[in-house]
Amino acid sequence: MTQSKLWQSTPFWALSLGLFLNSYIYGVAASQAVWLKGHTVLLLAWGPLLLALGIGLGGVLADYLGRLKLLMGTPVLYISGSLLILWRPHIIGLSIGSALLLIAGGIESNTLITYAQELITPSLRVQALYTELNFVNLGGFVLAIYTWIAPKLPASFRQNAVAIVPLLLSVLSWVVRSQLVESVSWERHRGQNMTYPQFLKFFPRLLVSSVFSLTNTSGFSLLTYAFGTVFFPHIFPVFLLISTGTAVMIGLSAPIVAKWPVNRFLVYAYLLAAVSATAVRLHPNPQGRLFWLFIITLSAGTSLSYLGEDTFKSAHWPDFYRSRFTAISRIIGLSGYILILWVLNRQPFNTFLTVIAGLWWIGFLSALVWHIFYGTVLLQE
């Protein structure tokens, strides 16, 4: 596949549509903290918790059943959840339907990234992954626009819209995926087991991947969702629009930044995020222009680091264990975010900003250590 044909390929759209939908559903779960009022921390933790459950299921099932087989089955969960919300648009139907959507999103998000590593030709893999991952940003941006106009809509219409989007996209995704083939590398290595010495060899990478996942998941979600819903619920859509809109624009640079080795790229991206988060902490006045300027640069750093870390944590694992190793680091990241969210409950404004800055500096130091000591492990393929 050449660069010019990337946007014309079926695998590209099959993966991108799925990632768009995953992002949209995760954002809807967080947005309910504003729409439904009250119990903010519980509602913010609801999405990551169920997403982590789906990721765990997907991590195991994709390695045992196959990537494509699993991806052909998850639209059933999307359709079931959507129809349940439409059929019973009250608390029980809404809760169970949303849970099914989030679990399906977790299964798919992990499996899609795993599948992409094995499906895309090596010469174009990093650029294709960066471009596909930008559809996660696009899903968040579409949700941001919807969140902005949602308060002006009747509650029943708002709930129906939330269900109709995954219903339609899951059907479209299933049609596109039906034209794909199972991962050849997974089929070649299925049934193999890892020895204890082999696990120890990969442990440093798993540890660093988990730190990256924690810092990126927590740093993004705290600022975009928790920060806005806790302190500025009346302008929450503004945080979402700035964060996701900036991320989409930055994600268009994929053909350029994909030319750098991923380990070096992560150092630059995390440094930008850490410096920007520190600047936000030093200028914590939402009435000032500097605050919003640094929020924009932080969103840019977050987007860039996300492209690199999601590519990093799914690459260079044994094929039969790739899905499980990817899932472990992602579950650690989401679990850490839930814990941090619980600890920060009822904490003051500046404490939130301090924690966000600290997380990005941890990510930068981890990326720097990996680049210095293990930099040749993940080179451009």
Side-chain angles (χ1 to χ4, degrees), residues 267-285:
V267 174
Y268 300 150
Y270 272 107
L271 180 60
L272 176 61
V275 171
S276 300
T278 303
V280 172
R281 175 62 183 86
L282 295 175
H283 298 82
N285 179 16

Side-chain angles (χ1 to χ4, degrees), residues 145-173:
I145 297 173
Y146 176 63
T147 303
W148 182 51
I149 64 174
K152 306 175 181 65
L153 303 174
S156 58
F157 181 87
R158 190 166 63 208
Q159 291 173 2
N160 289 341
V162 166
I164 289 172
V165 170
L167 179 62
L168 295 178
L169 285 183
S170 60
V171 173
L172 178 60
S173 296

Side-chain angles (χ1 to χ4, degrees), residues 290-341:
L290 283 178
F291 176 85
W292 293 105
L293 174 63
F294 294 136
I295 288 290
I296 291 172
T297 58
L298 175 55
S299 298
T302 302
S303 175
L304 292 171
S305 62
Y306 170 70
L307 298 180
E309 67 98 11
D310 239 30
T311 300
F312 178 94
K313 66 190 177 192
S314 57
H316 292 277
W317 299 117
D319 290 303
F320 184 63
Y321 279 83
R322 186 188 306 277
S323 185
R324 277 170 285 180
F325 275 125
T326 303
I328 289 171
S329 62
R330 301 187 73 216
I331 290 173
I332 290 174
L334 287 165
S335 301
Y337 166 57
I338 295 172
L339 178 60
I340 292 171
L341 193 62

Side-chain angles (χ1 to χ4, degrees), residues 41 87 146 209 235 244 250 280 319 330 344 355:
V41 171
W87 182 47
Y146 176 63
S209 295
I235 59 170
T244 57
I250 290 297
V280 172
D319 290 303
R330 301 187 73 216
L344 287 178
V355 171

